Amino acid sequence: MNTLNVSIVTPNGEVYSTKDASMVVLGTTSGQLGIMANHVPMVASLAIGPLKVVFPDGKEERIAVSEGFVETHKNDITVIVQTAECADDIDVERAKRAKERAEKRLSERKSTLDVRRAELALARALARLKVTEK
């Protein structure tokens, strides 16, 4: 079985790497995308959300990613994002508090900038919470 080399990189360096994934599922700005071995080369912009790495034995690893880009070339997938957090590194209570703060700011709608910041904060909090779900 062909496998994928997956690398997730932030400005602070590589956050995640594996050489034996069978598939990666991620959200692009155009919709959900599943990438398997021998995928055509491409570049796509990513939306904030969960990224799932699936292994040949069926096990999965989930990572919360911010906006960024994904590039595929042969059997290599490189994800370039501002932030990425593996499920085990996420503080669930902190993510819940961030979600509540963002929802409160959205309900207040003070300015367009505040609304956009709150929408992004809410998306990040929801991605973190989704990644930690079992």
Side-chain angles (χ1 to χ4, degrees):
M1 170 184 253
N2 288 336
T3 58
L4 299 164
N5 301 317
V6 181
S7 177
I8 300 176
V9 182
T10 71
N12 295 325
E14 189 173 69
V15 173
Y16 180 88
S17 178
T18 187
K19 297 196 178 300
D20 61 350
S22 60
M23 182 170 65
V24 174
V25 180
L26 41 77
T28 71
T29 54
S30 299
Q32 201 75 351
L33 179 65
I35 303 169
M36 297 177 76
N38 301 312
H39 195 281
V40 297
M42 64 155 218
V43 174
S45 57
L46 295 177
I48 296 170
L51 177 148
K52 181 169 55 173
V53 179
V54 182
F55 294 92
D57 64 2
K59 290 186 181 175
E60 299 177 355
E61 291 184 355
R62 295 161 60 114
I63 300 107
V65 296
S66 64
E67 295 169 310
F69 297 91
V70 60
E71 176 188 21
T72 65
H73 182 71
K74 296 188 180 177
N75 288 329
D76 295 320
I77 297 176
T78 304
V79 176
I80 303 167
V81 290
Q82 282 296 313
T83 61
E85 296 172 277
C86 296
D88 293 341
D89 297 331
I90 295 172
D91 180 338
V92 175
E93 292 306 313
R94 182 174 176 229
K96 287 178 182 177
R97 288 192 305 273
K99 175 183 174 281
E100 290 167 3
R101 280 192 309 274
E103 288 172 337
K104 181 179 179 196
R105 286 196 325 244
L106 276 173
S107 70
E108 294 170 356
R109 296 191 178 268
K110 291 182 180 177
S111 72
T112 304
L113 182 58
D114 286 340
V115 169
R116 182 65 183 143
R117 285 182 181 163
E119 289 170 343
L120 291 171
L122 180 58
R124 287 189 300 270
L126 291 172
R128 288 181 182 115
L129 292 171
K130 185 157 185 78
V131 163
T132 60
E133 291 174 355
K134 299 293 178 196

